[in-house]
Amino acid sequence: MNTPQSREGNVIRYLVYFAVFIFTALADNLAIKSSAISIWNIILFIIVASMCTLFYIYRYNREQRFFDSRFNVPWLSSYRLTVTLSLLVAGGRIGVSYLQLYHGMAASPLQNAYLAHASALLYWFMMVANGVVMPVLEEYLCTGFLFNYWFRAEQKSVAYLGILCSGLLYAVLSFQFAPAVLACNVCFGMLFAWSYLSTQTIWMPIYLAALNGVLTMVTVVV
């Protein structure tokens, strides 16, 4: 039960991680959906998000000792790969903004939340919370823990299925269900999962997800 080799233990652990993420997302939603952003809602989010982040980091690092680390590639060791993936994410985000501006793609809930109660404080809160913190937590949940528990077998079919499931879960946990936006987020999630399998380090998908989150917030007023 106490190792990632235990299927029953994995189910329980993943449900706990999922529940913790949902509590954090609810705290974020409470802050950004209020008619006027409250300092108390910000403090609540900081407390919940900090606990969730520390919990995820502790559990992920603790569980990594059960896996072979011989194939880990430092995520900054291949500048070409890092730059290429960064450009793909940036290009994808610019493409989404273009479709929203000129082809009627639906605005995201984040855009609607900001436009409903636009303020400098709300914008910078969303930049930190939705641009960095939530994407980092999503990658631990949708990529790190997901592959460690359910898609660890070294088989191509398992890897492909894991990438697809990771992309779908990432899109769902982004809570943006307009069909076109959902499809784009599935693609982003699959790219992040592929980067994890390519480098065998959680830092690459975390970096890419945070980059995507920051670019999303930069264009939130589009």
Side-chain angles (χ1 to χ4, degrees):
M1 286 289 288
N2 293 324
T3 73
Q5 283 73 33
S6 168
R7 190 175 299 274
E8 296 80 5
N10 289 346
V11 172
I12 295 172
R13 280 187 289 272
Y14 200 81
L15 289 176
V16 170
Y17 302 151
F18 189 85
V20 171
F21 178 87
I22 294 300
F23 279 122
T24 308
L26 289 173
D28 174 57
N29 191 67
L30 178 64
I32 66 176
K33 294 293 180 64
S34 299
S35 57
I37 189 165
S38 166
I39 189 65
W40 297 111
N41 289 339
I42 294 177
I43 292 173
L44 174 64
F45 174 79
I46 291 173
I47 293 173
V48 175
S50 297
M51 293 175 62
C52 181
T53 302
L54 291 174
F55 178 55
Y56 277 10
I57 293 173
Y58 169 75
R59 289 301 308 176
Y60 183 82
N61 290 339
R62 178 180 172 83
E63 291 169 7
Q64 284 304 101
R65 73 184 193 273
F66 293 104
F67 302 117
D68 190 348
S69 61
R70 289 176 299 171
F71 304 106
N72 287 7
V73 178
W75 69 284
L76 285 177
S77 65
S78 175
Y79 295 106
R80 182 176 299 179
L81 176 63
T82 303
V83 170
T84 300
L85 293 177
S86 299
L87 291 175
L88 282 174
V89 171
R93 183 48 53 191
I94 292 171
V96 170
S97 295
Y98 174 81
L99 292 174
Q100 288 178 323
L101 274 173
Y102 299 109
H103 293 278
M105 178 185 282
S108 69
L110 290 179
Q111 289 171 313
N112 292 330
Y114 175 75
L115 294 175
H117 313 290
S119 71
L121 178 59
L122 176 61
Y123 180 81
W124 288 110
F125 171 79
M126 293 175 70
M127 176 64 78
V128 174
N130 300 96
V132 179
V133 177
M134 297 305 296
V136 168
L137 297 180
E138 284 177 342
E139 283 313 299
Y140 272 106
L141 187 63
C142 301
T143 302
F145 294 127
L146 185 75
F147 276 94
N148 280 356
Y149 290 168
W150 312 116
F151 301 102
R152 198 70 190 188
E154 296 180 4
Q155 301 173 8
K156 286 186 178 180
S157 59
V158 174
Y160 294 149
L161 180 60
I163 289 173
L164 177 61
C165 290
S166 180
L168 290 171
L169 184 59
Y170 175 84
V172 169
L173 292 183
S174 295
F175 302 109
Q176 302 177 39
F177 300 112
V181 178
L182 185 69
C184 290
N185 283 332
V186 170
C187 294
F188 279 124
M190 292 175 66
L191 178 65
F192 303 156
W194 179 86
S195 73
Y196 176 70
L197 293 183
S198 296
T199 61
Q200 288 295 297
T201 174
I202 194 66
W203 294 111
M204 179 64 88
I206 282 179
Y207 158 71
L208 294 175
L211 175 63
N212 180 56
V214 168
L215 292 176
T216 299
M217 296 313 307
V218 168
T219 60
V220 75
V221 294
V222 173

